[in-house]
């Protein structure tokens, strides 16, 4: 039995059920601290690992925005959950072509991934969370598949009203069960009379991060690009899922040994950001966004320079933009300082 499974089981057995958010936070903290989960030999593959085109277009989007904002010389590039540093390396290479060479700040807690990032980005500065990011300088922020891994509360409708789901331990697995009642203020008005069994997920952790970023951007300039999978408007549903070795897995066994994620609620993030005074653009489908940024032209240029890889490049483009792959489920949203122009791709 893995150490984390033993520890959580002992905690529940001695102190009582824990929240879904507690379970998810503990599981993902252990998971990311103990391995590199990316690529063919890991558990999943993200957009920047599929093709350099993704990071390059992100970098060009931010560089174009920076130029149109007057090219402030002290801008900082910030990435939340930067994986192996692949996206940052591609984005910064594209930025340099536009004469933008910002300081690099990475929000990462995993020692394994920090090591991988350091090999690609030796001049980077690392942060455990967004609270220590620089102030007084424009921030060019990227968060790709970051918010989906932050813990969520799960609220469930019962015949007796809405309750928070708690996690109990059984001999071979963990299991969510209805727990204490929650106030109606936690439930959107349109969902308060939902039928029994309806699940609503909220992420106070995600809201806190967005508010922190939006506050910094509103005060000092810049923008944040958030790319993730989820729904544009708050919607009910149990979206907690696990993946291991590129296959769906049971999220309620072997915590810390598989990646746990949920669908991002872009409406909730937008409301939190707007409250801090930034402009919110999107979300728009990832496929439409990348096409607007020029992925077709970039794919063509790469294929002309490497004809032997033309099919591989086309397949990677399709994986990023096709509606039946990442193009629709994944979405992009921008948070922009009120005095800055709008980034490309959100018209």
């Amino acid at each position: 039995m893995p150490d984390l499974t033993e520890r959580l089981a002992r905690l529940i057995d001695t102190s009582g059920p824990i929240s879904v958010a507690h379970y998810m936070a503990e599981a993902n903290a252990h998971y990311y601290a103990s391995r590199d989960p990316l690529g063919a030999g890991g558990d999943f593959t993200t957009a920047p690992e599929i093709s350099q085109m993704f990071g390059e277009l992100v970098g060009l989007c931010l560089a174009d925005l920076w130029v149109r904002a007057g090219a402030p010389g002290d801008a900082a590039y910030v990435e939340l959950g930067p994986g192996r540093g692949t996206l940052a390396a591609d984005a910064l290479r594209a930025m340099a072509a536009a004469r933008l060479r910002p300081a690099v700040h990475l929000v990462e807690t995993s020692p394994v991934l920090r090591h991988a990032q350091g090999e690609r980005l030796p001049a980077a500065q690392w942060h455990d969370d967004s609270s220590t990011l620089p102030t007084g300088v424009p921030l060019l922020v990227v968060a790709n598949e970051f918010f989906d891994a932050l813990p969520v509360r799960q609220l469930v409708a019962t015949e007796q009203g809405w309750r928070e789901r708690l996690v109990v331990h059984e001999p071979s697995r963990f299991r969510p069960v209805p727990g204490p009642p929650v106030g109606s203020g936690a439930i959107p008005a349109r969902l308060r009379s939902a039928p029994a069994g309806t699940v609503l997920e909220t992420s106070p952790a995600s809201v806190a991060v967005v508010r922190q970023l939006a506050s910094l951007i509103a005060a000092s300039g810049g923008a944040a690009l958030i790319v993730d999978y989820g729904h544009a408007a708050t919607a009910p549903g149990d979206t907690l899922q696990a993946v291991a070795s590129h296959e769906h897995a049971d999220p309620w066994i072997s915590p810390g040994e598989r990646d746990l994620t949920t669908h991002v609620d872009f409406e909730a993030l937008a409301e939190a950001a707007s409250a801090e005074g930034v402009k919110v653009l999107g979300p728009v489908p990832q496929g439409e966004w990348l096409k607007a940024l020029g992925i077709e032209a970039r794919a063509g240029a790469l294929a002309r320079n490497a004809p032997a890889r033309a099919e591989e490049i086309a397949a990677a483009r399709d994986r990023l933009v096709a509606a039946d792959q990442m193009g629709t489920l994944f979405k992009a949203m921008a948070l922009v300082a009120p005095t800055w122009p709008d980034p490309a791709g959100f018209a």
Side-chain angles (χ1 to χ4, degrees), residues 44-324:
F44 57 88
T45 302
T46 59
E49 302 291 336
I50 292 170
S51 172
Q52 68 188 74
M53 293 183 285
F54 185 84
E56 289 171 345
L57 291 173
V58 167
L60 290 173
C61 177
L62 291 174
D64 169 71
L65 177 63
W66 171 78
V67 169
R68 289 187 288 115
D74 53 357
Y77 174 87
V78 174
E79 189 170 341
L80 311 184
R84 294 171 171 168
T86 305
L87 192 162
D90 291 338
L92 290 165
R93 183 177 65 253
M95 289 177 175
R99 302 180 184 275
L100 170 57
R101 295 177 175 82
V104 179
H105 295 263
L106 306 177
V107 177
E108 179 63 71
T109 58
S110 167
V112 176
L113 292 175
R114 280 193 179 192
H115 177 74
Q117 294 154 15
E119 292 184 338
R120 286 181 171 85
L121 307 160
Q125 301 177 56
W126 281 270
H127 304 259
D128 289 334
D129 57 56
S130 57
S131 67
T132 59
L133 290 174
T135 59
V137 299
L139 301 182
L140 303 174
V141 183
V142 179
N144 179 62
E145 290 198 55
F146 172 78
F147 287 98
D148 62 88
L150 295 188
V152 300
R153 297 175 69 199
Q154 285 193 334
L155 312 178
V156 60
T158 71
E159 298 293 348
Q160 294 75 39
W162 284 86
R163 295 180 177 273
E164 179 162 11
R165 268 182 160 180
L166 301 181
V167 180
V168 298
H169 175 240
E170 296 179 341
S172 61
R173 61 186 287 111
F174 297 88
R175 182 169 63 90
V177 298
V182 295
S184 60
I187 311 298
R190 66 181 184 274
L191 297 176
R192 288 175 190 166
S193 59
T198 301
V199 174
L200 177 67
E201 294 170 339
T202 68
S203 181
S206 297
V207 167
V209 172
V210 162
R211 294 195 71 142
Q212 177 75 45
L213 291 176
S215 176
L216 290 170
I217 290 169
S220 302
L225 298 177
I226 298 171
V227 186
D228 226 312
Y229 57 90
H231 33 260
T234 301
D238 179 353
T239 71
L240 179 63
Q241 59 189 319
V243 64
S245 299
H246 300 270
E247 299 286 344
H248 287 292
D250 189 335
W252 301 110
I253 63 173
S254 301
E257 301 304 313
R258 51 198 62 194
D259 180 44
L260 298 184
T261 65
T262 60
H263 286 200
V264 173
D265 181 348
F266 282 95
E267 181 181 6
L269 299 189
E271 289 177 353
S274 295
E276 298 298 327
V278 298
K279 297 183 289 183
V280 178
L281 306 177
V284 298
Q286 175 178 291
E288 293 181 11
W289 180 62
L290 292 175
K291 287 178 181 178
L293 293 179
I295 193 171
E296 300 289 358
R298 182 56 179 149
L302 289 174
R304 286 191 296 274
N305 290 334
R309 295 182 55 234
E311 289 188 9
E312 172 193 339
I313 293 165
R317 176 206 59 208
D318 290 346
R319 188 170 174 187
L320 293 173
V321 305
D324 61 348

Side-chain angles (χ1 to χ4, degrees), residues 11-30:
L11 172 65
I12 291 170
D13 292 344
T14 58
S15 302
I18 61 175
S19 68
V20 172
H22 186 168
Y23 176 86
M24 188 175 175
E26 293 273 4
N28 277 350
H30 179 88

